[in-house]
Amino acid sequence: MSQNLQSRRSETRLRPVDLARGHGLSTQAVRNYEEAGILPAAARTPHGYRTYTPLHAAALRAFIALVPAHGHRTATAIMCAVNQGESDEAFRLIDESHAQLLDDRRTLQAVERALRDLAPPAGPAPSAGPAPSAASAPSAASASSAAPAPVPADGSGGAFIGSLAQALGIRPATLRTWERAGLVRPRRDPLTGYRVYDEADVRDARLTHQLRRGGYLLEQIAPLIAQVREAGGLEPLEAALCDWRARLSARGRAMLAGAAELEAYHRQLIPS
């Protein structure tokens, strides 16, 4: 590779400003890129001034194309690996970015499926249901002779933990685990102290349930629930999901553009 660089000493010489102008950069940025290993080392004039070649211009184009695809840090690591003759390491870094993009797409698809599954049910929403007792579950006999289902004392509606768990087909303990993870945030009934799940809590519980069925971990679900809350519900989240999908597509296209520029540079640096 050093011989290839030496053979280019007689090529068209470019000043730092020549590289900088074409990309809206400062000459200091170009020098910084060289010092970071993003650009190959420049030759020096007898007076100590840097001189660049079309090879350096190709390296700069490759780096600038890689940044929107892989991020500044990974793009820097890719260019450093290529310039050090460690092409396999550069390819590994590229593979990791592609794997992350695929994982992001799968997450988006899981959220979209979960939202489709959250279409309003035909029947009424879970009622407050029987207030939970100290026992984990009432017996069949006690259930048959139970008093009329109580409602939250503040009259604001909502579901108690037992009725919501039954509606989702899960154990009440699961809802308590989700609460500890911040996925649901039930309030407490002022009279009984029991957990009461309002409409937003039921929404979050149902979304969490769908994502858990899709194999997602609680720590993976938490930021998605936060997005739903920040958007103000599921309907506003649709716009966020469209934006998310567009950003993933833009990143995929950027990866194509970055790969093309990197391949062009790689061919100049290490002719086959």
Side-chain angles (χ1 to χ4, degrees):
M1 185 172 65
S2 60
Q3 291 180 345
N4 292 332
L5 292 175
Q6 290 294 332
S7 67
R8 290 178 171 84
R9 299 300 189 212
S10 59
E11 292 185 10
T12 303
R13 291 185 176 182
L14 301 172
R15 301 166 299 168
V17 67
D18 297 323
L19 291 184
R21 281 175 179 168
H23 300 285
L25 301 172
S26 67
T27 55
Q28 184 59 51
V30 173
R31 289 191 288 267
N32 291 343
Y33 289 162
E34 180 191 346
E35 292 172 2
I38 295 168
L39 306 182
R44 297 278 184 159
T45 68
H47 298 287
Y49 294 109
R50 290 178 172 87
T51 59
Y52 296 107
T53 69
L55 179 69
H56 295 89
L60 184 58
R61 286 194 300 272
F63 173 69
I64 290 175
L66 289 170
V67 169
H70 303 274
H72 194 281
R73 178 180 298 181
T74 300
T76 298
I78 291 170
M79 293 301 299
C80 288
V82 169
N83 290 331
Q84 292 167 7
E86 299 175 357
S87 296
D88 284 345
E89 172 62 11
F91 299 151
R92 184 192 67 78
L93 292 167
I94 293 170
D95 290 344
E96 285 189 349
S97 287
H98 279 281
Q100 181 61 57
L101 179 59
L102 178 59
D103 186 61
D104 290 345
R105 286 192 182 280
R106 286 172 173 165
T107 299
L108 173 60
Q109 290 169 353
V111 173
E112 289 175 331
R113 285 195 302 269
L115 292 181
R116 286 196 299 268
D117 292 339
L118 286 178
S127 62
S133 63
S136 59
S139 66
S142 61
S144 63
S145 60
V151 297
D154 57 12
S156 59
F160 284 125
I161 190 169
S163 59
L164 178 57
Q166 183 178 15
L168 295 176
I170 60 177
R171 291 175 171 271
T174 301
L175 282 171
R176 288 192 284 268
T177 298
W178 294 353
E179 180 183 351
R180 288 193 293 272
L183 304 179
V184 290
R185 299 183 297 193
R187 55 187 172 83
R188 293 284 181 163
D189 182 84
L191 180 62
T192 65
Y194 295 138
R195 293 173 174 84
V196 178
Y197 298 81
D198 61 19
E199 184 177 351
D201 295 315
V202 173
R203 174 203 68 202
D204 295 345
R206 294 178 67 197
L207 180 56
T208 298
H209 183 48
Q210 293 295 336
L211 292 171
R212 287 292 292 139
R213 290 177 60 185
Y216 285 84
L217 303 176
L218 297 184
E219 55 266 31
Q220 295 173 309
I221 297 173
L224 303 177
I225 296 295
Q227 280 190 314
V228 173
R229 291 171 181 160
E230 185 177 349
L234 297 177
E235 290 185 6
L237 186 62
E238 292 291 343
L241 292 178
C242 288
D243 178 67
W244 185 2
R245 190 183 308 107
R247 285 187 283 111
L248 292 180
S249 296
R251 189 178 175 199
R253 290 193 297 270
M255 285 184 171
L256 289 176
E261 292 291 354
L262 182 63
E263 172 63 11
Y265 171 59
H266 195 268
R267 285 181 178 274
Q268 292 183 52
L269 185 66
I270 309 175
S272 56

